[in-house]
Amino acid sequence: MTIDPAKDAAGRAAAALVRPGMRLGLGTGSTVDRFLVALAARDLDVAGVPTSQATQRRCTELGIALLDPAEVDRLDLVVDGADELTRDLVLTKGGGGALLREKVVATMGERFVVIATLDKLVPRLGDTFAVPVEVVPFALHPVRRELEREGLTAVERTAAADVPYRTDNGNAILDVRLDGGLLDPELADTWLTMLPGVVTSGIFVDLATEALLGRPDGTVESLSRPDR
Ligand code: 5RP
């Protein structure tokens, strides 16, 4: 397996933030995988809440102790990837389909560090990446019709040709394209999540506190939310 040096740099930088005894939020995706490998190599007494079955399996392989959300009130540090982010640390997530558990875990964090490659930093969200929306299967068609009535294009995610994708929670995903990008991410998130049958959207506002963005040369740019 080839290791992307930019993802590896971001993952290692996040692993260096972990201290013994910390309770962690463990995100999902290929950049988080580099974080988990670097974390396991440190062999610290830590445990984390995984945001997907894939992360849960990977932690078991790597010997990272796991926690259930019921066992912990707050997490010291959440580390997760992103599909796009802006300088004010608003994110789109859910490319890997784990958006619901990722959002739940993000809200439990004292500190939420995003790890990504620098090319995911964009001036405006939604220009290149469709916003994932998790929907209960029963409501899939009504929700899609409602989105289309607003002029949005919503495509049901598939696992393979003619096989609908299902999240770890048994739900469907609509990938929603917004012409001209996301002008007001907070409003879009509120509107989407108010539609009956929508469980959550992949828009993360006011959750991330910092970002560690890896470059191909192995250096990392860090960003912090101005109000933190
Ligand atoms: C999964 C996610 C991932 O964090 C996001 O897709 C980034 O993944 P990667 O690090 O593989 O690019 O939101 O639901």
Side-chain angles (χ1 to χ4, degrees):
M1 190 189 71
T2 21
I3 293 172
D4 179 327
K7 291 181 185 182
D8 194 49
R12 283 172 186 275
L17 301 175
V18 179
R19 298 286 168 261
M22 276 188 168
R23 297 292 175 245
L24 303 170
L26 305 169
T28 296
S30 55
T31 318
V32 165
D33 192 70
R34 299 316 305 159
F35 163 69
L36 296 177
V37 169
L39 178 64
R42 293 193 60 202
D43 199 20
L44 300 171
D45 173 24
V46 292
V49 179
T51 54
S52 61
Q53 290 169 4
T55 294
Q56 185 170 335
R57 279 193 298 272
R58 189 67 169 133
C59 288
T60 304
E61 268 169 33
L62 291 166
I64 298 171
L66 294 169
L67 287 170
D68 185 90
E71 293 177 275
V72 60
D73 288 333
R74 296 292 287 163
L75 296 168
D76 301 296
L77 175 66
V78 175
V79 177
D80 202 351
D83 294 299
E84 288 185 329
L85 74 157
T86 52
R87 281 202 175 270
D88 52 358
L89 297 188
V90 180
L91 326 171
T92 48
K93 290 185 49 54
L99 59 162
L100 175 59
R101 295 187 190 191
E102 290 175 331
K103 207 177 248 189
V104 170
V105 168
T107 61
M108 295 172 72
E110 295 293 340
R111 193 175 170 192
F112 172 13
V113 176
V114 180
I115 52 172
T117 50
L118 187 60
D119 57 349
K120 290 189 174 176
L121 187 62
V122 293
R124 187 172 56 188
L125 298 174
D127 277 340
T128 55
F129 181 76
V131 175
V133 178
E134 182 159 345
V135 182
V136 297
F138 178 79
L140 191 60
H141 294 288
V143 168
R144 182 158 54 195
R145 276 197 296 274
E146 190 62 32
L147 296 171
E148 285 170 354
R149 256 198 292 275
E150 295 299 320
L152 304 170
T153 314
V155 177
E156 183 182 359
R157 197 176 289 186
T158 51
D162 296 331
V163 181
Y165 177 87
R166 290 291 178 261
T167 67
D168 287 349
N169 318 297
N171 295 319
I173 290 192
L174 288 172
D175 286 303
V176 180
R177 283 222 163 268
L178 304 109
D179 269 348
L182 263 178
L183 300 180
D184 186 336
E186 190 164 7
L187 185 66
D189 182 41
T190 304
W191 180 74
L192 286 166
T193 48
M194 277 173 53
L195 296 174
V198 169
V199 183
T200 199
S201 95
I203 304 168
F204 284 44
V205 183
D206 280 345
L207 289 169
T209 53
E210 293 138 86
L212 295 169
L213 304 175
R215 298 189 187 87
D217 66 2
T219 58
V220 173
E221 175 167 338
S222 37
L223 300 176
S224 297
R225 217 165 68 201
D227 54 324
R228 297 283 296 219

